[in-house]
Short mmCIF file of all heavy atoms in Angstrom, two decimals:
data_model
loop_
_atom_site.label_atom_id
_atom_site.label_comp_id
_atom_site.label_asym_id
_atom_site.label_seq_id
_atom_site.Cartn_x
_atom_site.Cartn_y
_atom_site.Cartn_z
N LYS E 1 -9.87 -4.37 12.02
CA LYS E 1 -10.51 -3.09 11.66
C LYS E 1 -10.69 -3.09 10.16
O LYS E 1 -9.78 -3.29 9.35
CB LYS E 1 -9.66 -1.95 12.15
CG LYS E 1 -10.33 -0.65 11.91
CD LYS E 1 -9.46 0.57 12.44
CE LYS E 1 -10.12 1.89 12.15
NZ LYS E 1 -9.29 3.01 12.62
N ILE E 2 -11.98 -2.77 9.77
CA ILE E 2 -12.32 -2.82 8.30
C ILE E 2 -12.44 -1.36 7.83
O ILE E 2 -13.06 -0.51 8.48
CB ILE E 2 -13.68 -3.52 8.10
CG1 ILE E 2 -13.60 -4.96 8.54
CG2 ILE E 2 -14.07 -3.43 6.65
CD1 ILE E 2 -14.87 -5.75 8.46
N ASN E 3 -11.76 -1.03 6.73
CA ASN E 3 -11.81 0.28 6.14
C ASN E 3 -13.06 0.46 5.34
O ASN E 3 -13.23 -0.24 4.30
CB ASN E 3 -10.55 0.52 5.28
CG ASN E 3 -10.52 1.92 4.70
OD1 ASN E 3 -11.29 2.78 5.12
ND2 ASN E 3 -9.58 2.16 3.75
N LEU E 4 -13.97 1.32 5.79
CA LEU E 4 -15.24 1.60 5.04
C LEU E 4 -15.18 2.72 4.06
O LEU E 4 -16.13 2.97 3.31
CB LEU E 4 -16.32 1.83 6.11
CG LEU E 4 -16.61 0.65 7.06
CD1 LEU E 4 -17.66 1.07 8.01
CD2 LEU E 4 -16.96 -0.57 6.34
N ASN E 5 -14.08 3.44 4.05
CA ASN E 5 -13.92 4.60 3.11
C ASN E 5 -13.23 4.08 1.83
O ASN E 5 -12.08 3.69 1.84
CB ASN E 5 -13.12 5.70 3.74
CG ASN E 5 -13.04 6.97 2.90
OD1 ASN E 5 -13.54 6.98 1.80
ND2 ASN E 5 -12.45 7.99 3.40
N PRO E 6 -13.94 4.06 0.71
CA PRO E 6 -13.35 3.54 -0.54
C PRO E 6 -12.22 4.43 -1.12
O PRO E 6 -11.45 3.94 -1.93
CB PRO E 6 -14.50 3.47 -1.48
CG PRO E 6 -15.51 4.51 -1.08
CD PRO E 6 -15.34 4.53 0.42
N PHE E 7 -12.19 5.73 -0.69
CA PHE E 7 -11.13 6.61 -1.26
C PHE E 7 -9.96 6.66 -0.35
O PHE E 7 -9.00 7.36 -0.67
CB PHE E 7 -11.79 8.05 -1.28
CG PHE E 7 -12.92 8.09 -2.20
CD1 PHE E 7 -14.22 8.19 -1.72
CD2 PHE E 7 -12.78 8.08 -3.60
CE1 PHE E 7 -15.31 8.20 -2.55
CE2 PHE E 7 -13.85 8.19 -4.44
CZ PHE E 7 -15.16 8.20 -3.90
N GLN E 8 -9.94 5.97 0.77
CA GLN E 8 -8.77 5.94 1.64
C GLN E 8 -8.15 4.60 1.55
O GLN E 8 -8.77 3.55 1.81
CB GLN E 8 -9.18 6.26 3.14
CG GLN E 8 -8.00 6.20 4.05
CD GLN E 8 -8.44 6.52 5.46
OE1 GLN E 8 -9.59 6.72 5.69
NE2 GLN E 8 -7.54 6.50 6.38
N PRO E 9 -6.91 4.55 1.01
CA PRO E 9 -6.30 3.23 0.92
C PRO E 9 -6.03 2.64 2.23
O PRO E 9 -5.77 3.18 3.26
CB PRO E 9 -4.93 3.61 0.17
CG PRO E 9 -4.67 5.02 0.55
CD PRO E 9 -6.03 5.64 0.69
N SER E 10 -6.07 1.29 2.18
CA SER E 10 -5.80 0.52 3.43
C SER E 10 -4.38 0.52 3.77
O SER E 10 -3.48 0.60 2.86
CB SER E 10 -6.20 -0.95 3.19
OG SER E 10 -7.66 -1.01 2.85
N PRO E 11 -4.04 0.67 4.97
CA PRO E 11 -2.62 0.65 5.37
C PRO E 11 -1.90 -0.59 4.99
O PRO E 11 -2.48 -1.67 5.04
CB PRO E 11 -2.66 0.94 6.91
CG PRO E 11 -3.99 0.38 7.33
CD PRO E 11 -4.90 0.67 6.17
N ALA E 12 -0.72 -0.39 4.56
CA ALA E 12 0.07 -1.57 4.17
C ALA E 12 0.44 -2.41 5.41
O ALA E 12 0.58 -1.92 6.50
CB ALA E 12 1.36 -1.08 3.51
N LYS E 13 0.57 -3.64 5.14
CA LYS E 13 0.95 -4.56 6.22
C LYS E 13 2.38 -4.29 6.67
O LYS E 13 3.21 -4.02 5.84
CB LYS E 13 0.78 -6.01 5.78
CG LYS E 13 -0.61 -6.42 5.43
CD LYS E 13 -0.72 -7.85 4.95
CE LYS E 13 -2.15 -8.26 4.65
NZ LYS E 13 -2.24 -9.67 4.25
N PRO E 14 2.54 -4.28 7.93
CA PRO E 14 3.91 -3.95 8.43
C PRO E 14 5.02 -4.93 7.91
O PRO E 14 6.15 -4.56 7.83
CB PRO E 14 3.76 -4.00 9.93
CG PRO E 14 2.59 -4.87 10.21
CD PRO E 14 1.65 -4.62 9.06
N ASP E 15 4.60 -6.13 7.62
CA ASP E 15 5.60 -7.10 7.20
C ASP E 15 5.78 -7.12 5.69
O ASP E 15 6.52 -8.00 5.23
CB ASP E 15 5.25 -8.50 7.74
CG ASP E 15 3.85 -8.90 7.28
OD1 ASP E 15 3.15 -8.06 6.82
OD2 ASP E 15 3.54 -10.12 7.42
N SER E 16 5.05 -6.23 4.92
CA SER E 16 5.16 -6.28 3.47
C SER E 16 6.33 -5.45 3.07
O SER E 16 6.30 -4.17 3.30
CB SER E 16 3.90 -5.82 2.76
OG SER E 16 2.84 -6.67 3.20
N PRO E 17 7.36 -5.93 2.37
CA PRO E 17 8.44 -5.03 1.93
C PRO E 17 8.03 -4.16 0.73
O PRO E 17 7.16 -4.53 0.01
CB PRO E 17 9.52 -6.10 1.48
CG PRO E 17 8.74 -7.30 1.04
CD PRO E 17 7.51 -7.33 1.93
N PRO E 18 8.53 -2.97 0.63
CA PRO E 18 8.18 -2.05 -0.45
C PRO E 18 8.66 -2.64 -1.77
O PRO E 18 9.63 -3.37 -1.80
CB PRO E 18 8.92 -0.79 -0.10
CG PRO E 18 10.07 -1.21 0.70
CD PRO E 18 9.56 -2.35 1.52
N PRO E 19 7.92 -2.32 -2.86
CA PRO E 19 8.28 -2.85 -4.16
C PRO E 19 9.65 -2.38 -4.59
O PRO E 19 10.03 -1.20 -4.29
CB PRO E 19 7.22 -2.38 -5.12
CG PRO E 19 6.60 -1.21 -4.43
CD PRO E 19 6.73 -1.48 -2.98
N PRO E 20 10.47 -3.13 -5.25
CA PRO E 20 11.79 -2.69 -5.66
C PRO E 20 11.68 -1.55 -6.60
O PRO E 20 10.88 -1.56 -7.54
CB PRO E 20 12.44 -3.96 -6.27
CG PRO E 20 11.30 -4.79 -6.68
CD PRO E 20 10.20 -4.53 -5.73
N ARG E 21 12.54 -0.59 -6.54
CA ARG E 21 12.61 0.54 -7.43
C ARG E 21 13.41 0.17 -8.69
O ARG E 21 14.59 -0.21 -8.56
CB ARG E 21 13.24 1.76 -6.70
CG ARG E 21 13.19 3.00 -7.56
CD ARG E 21 13.73 4.22 -6.75
NE ARG E 21 13.73 5.34 -7.54
CZ ARG E 21 14.12 6.56 -7.09
NH1 ARG E 21 14.64 6.69 -5.91
NH2 ARG E 21 14.07 7.59 -7.92
N ARG E 22 12.75 0.37 -9.85
CA ARG E 22 13.47 0.00 -11.08
C ARG E 22 14.26 1.16 -11.60
O ARG E 22 13.80 2.34 -11.66
CB ARG E 22 12.43 -0.35 -12.12
CG ARG E 22 13.04 -0.98 -13.41
CD ARG E 22 11.97 -1.45 -14.32
NE ARG E 22 12.53 -2.09 -15.50
CZ ARG E 22 11.79 -2.55 -16.53
NH1 ARG E 22 10.46 -2.49 -16.48
NH2 ARG E 22 12.43 -3.12 -17.56
N THR E 23 15.47 0.94 -11.94
CA THR E 23 16.40 1.89 -12.43
C THR E 23 16.72 1.56 -13.90
O THR E 23 16.76 0.40 -14.31
CB THR E 23 17.66 2.07 -11.61
OG1 THR E 23 18.30 0.76 -11.61
CG2 THR E 23 17.35 2.46 -10.19
N PHE E 24 17.09 2.59 -14.69
CA PHE E 24 17.37 2.34 -16.09
C PHE E 24 18.82 2.96 -16.36
O PHE E 24 19.10 4.05 -15.83
CB PHE E 24 16.38 3.05 -17.00
CG PHE E 24 15.00 2.51 -16.79
CD1 PHE E 24 14.06 3.24 -16.00
CD2 PHE E 24 14.53 1.41 -17.43
CE1 PHE E 24 12.82 2.76 -15.86
CE2 PHE E 24 13.30 0.94 -17.25
CZ PHE E 24 12.35 1.57 -16.41
#
């Protein structure tokens, strides 16, 4: 399925882990 709406972000792949949260 191709997303034709440029303002709607494509759903993330189910196997992609979320980016690590940086703490200070």
